[in-house]
Amino acid sequence: MFGLKPDLCSVPMPETHYGVDDYAKSTARWCPGCGGHSILSSVQKICKEKQYVPEKTVFVSGIGCSSRFPHYMGTYGFHGLHGRAFPVASGIKFRRPDLNVFVITGDGDCCSIGAGHWVHAVRYNMKMVVLLFDNSIYGLTKKQTSPTSAIGTVSNTHPKGSVLPPINPIQTTLGISNASFVAQTTDWNPAHMYATIRKAADHPGFAFVRIVQRCPIFMKDLYADKAADPDSVILLSHENGINLDPAIAKTFKRVIEHDPSDIHKAREYAELRDGIPVGLFYQNTENPCYDDYGAHNLGMTVAEKTQALEELLDKYMN
Ligand code: SF4
């Protein structure tokens, strides 16, 4: 009104910057020593580094110890039904592609009751980060055999030891059509876990990360010695793989050079049994993403949608 240019009148506002605390909510109620704690810290750090807007970020889970995760994040969350995290997350991403979507699932939630949804979610390849907390046991319900329990695992359902060979989640995911990002890490190497989830967050499709997780309550002996033994893991290393700090990379004694575009080698390394292979098994950024096909009518008004629906009905009524 006084002839000043608008930019001279405006008061500059400080840019919003989110700290780690903005992604934290209540205190995690996992047992002391549970691998979930370090996974939570890594994810909160990544949210801060990516400066994800908390109101534009959603964590979806099913049922299990891992699935308490959304309660501990200062973002939106959906703690749903057992095995149903994938369809919920797919629905959210389909209608709100602007949101950052994470799925938190466990070995029972994903590989047993949710297995059908897991297969199709991989195939749909919608942009989301999937963290499989795999402790090889049902912990929340106090020790039942899970689909990833090794033969001989003594549990309440198999007091004489489980008898069936376990599912290999990496091998299974690699075998599903349209798989585009498959990685593995362990909760006891926070630097590698952080770098792996960070890479997954940058992937333009369905990024599946299996985290070998300790459950000191019900599977005390499974990984206790491995976590203390640097020889127990095998690092898959490549310039297109997980971006590790050279100082951290040097701490791995066993290293295999693996190009993550080679799915045949990825399948071979997924079968390694004399150590836990960690790193990026496979990545393909060119695979079709189903969210791209769902976004075409997002801008339609209610009136336009009603009209389109009526035109469609007319087509079949006449
Ligand atoms: Fe973690 Fe096991 Fe405790 Fe569950 S029972 S919170 S997986 S340590």
Side-chain angles (χ1 to χ4, degrees):
M1 123 179 60
F2 300 108
L4 291 174
K5 290 181 182 171
D7 56 336
L8 293 178
C9 299
S10 59
V11 179
M13 298 295 288
E15 215 177 281
T16 306
H17 183 85
Y18 300 102
V20 171
D21 288 351
D22 292 309
Y23 302 101
K25 207 155 78 185
S26 54
T27 305
R29 289 177 55 213
W30 292 307
C31 310
C34 176
H37 295 286
S38 62
I39 304 172
L40 179 65
S41 299
S42 278
V43 171
Q44 287 169 339
K45 262 175 70 184
I46 288 163
C47 286
K48 177 196 165 255
E49 192 179 314
K50 300 277 288 176
Q51 282 296 293
Y52 286 146
V53 177
E55 310 85 80
K56 294 256 180 184
T57 304
V58 57
F59 284 77
V60 183
S61 66
I63 294 293
C65 291
S66 61
S67 294
R68 292 171 174 163
F69 199 97
H71 297 278
Y72 309 143
M73 293 296 299
T75 62
Y76 276 100
F78 192 107
H79 185 181
L81 295 175
H82 203 196
R84 307 294 178 248
F86 290 117
V88 171
S90 301
I92 291 169
K93 192 67 189 173
F94 205 56
R95 301 321 295 165
R96 290 294 306 271
D98 57 314
L99 300 185
N100 310 302
V101 177
F102 287 76
V103 169
I104 307 295
T105 183
D107 37 307
D109 194 60
C110 174
C111 308
S112 183
I113 190 169
H117 295 307
W118 172 29
V119 170
H120 291 285
V122 173
R123 183 172 150 259
Y124 275 43
N125 193 32
M126 299 174 81
K127 175 156 177 49
M128 60 184 74
V129 174
V130 177
L131 303 181
L132 168 61
F133 291 35
D134 190 352
N135 56 14
S136 302
I137 202 75
Y138 285 85
L140 190 71
T141 45
K142 314 265 184 266
K143 200 174 186 179
Q144 291 82 32
T145 303
S146 99
T148 64
S149 300
I151 289 179
T153 301
V154 175
S155 72
N156 294 328
T157 43
H158 293 88
K160 293 186 178 170
S162 62
V163 291
L164 296 177
I167 282 178
N168 178 331
I170 295 292
Q171 193 68 282
T172 303
T173 308
L174 287 168
I176 299 169
S177 315
N178 213 28
S180 69
F181 184 106
V182 185
Q184 180 157 273
T185 187
T186 64
D187 76 50
W188 60 86
N189 191 328
H192 187 271
M193 177 169 58
Y194 171 83
T196 305
I197 303 172
R198 180 74 179 75
K199 178 103 179 170
D202 289 338
H203 178 67
F206 187 94
F208 180 86
V209 180
R210 178 192 181 219
I211 304 172
V212 179
Q213 186 210 348
R214 288 167 298 175
C215 170
I217 302 300
F218 296 118
M219 295 296 272
K220 182 159 61 81
D221 300 328
L222 182 61
Y223 296 124
D225 55 338
K226 291 191 172 62
D229 176 10
D231 280 338
S232 67
V233 288
I234 304 165
L235 178 68
L236 302 180
S237 172
H238 193 268
E239 59 182 347
N240 296 331
I242 305 302
N243 306 316
L244 263 191
D245 186 290
I248 300 292
K250 269 191 196 159
T251 63
F252 290 86
K253 292 189 179 165
R254 301 171 69 192
V255 180
I256 293 177
E257 195 63 15
H258 167 58
D259 179 350
S261 67
D262 186 343
I263 197 163
H264 302 295
K265 279 285 176 193
R267 287 178 177 142
E268 187 183 320
Y269 294 142
E271 285 299 322
L272 287 174
R273 292 182 195 275
D274 64 334
I276 303 168
V278 295
L280 184 57
F281 284 82
Y282 181 66
Q283 183 174 26
N284 186 336
T285 56
E286 302 298 320
N287 285 10
C289 301
Y290 200 58
D291 24 357
D292 292 342
Y293 299 93
H296 67 277
N297 63 356
L298 285 177
M300 286 174 87
T301 63
V302 172
E304 287 167 339
K305 282 182 189 167
T306 308
Q307 190 187 345
L309 193 59
E310 282 174 356
E311 283 171 8
L312 200 62
L313 288 172
D314 286 348
K315 189 172 151 190
Y316 293 104
M317 299 292 277
N318 295 329

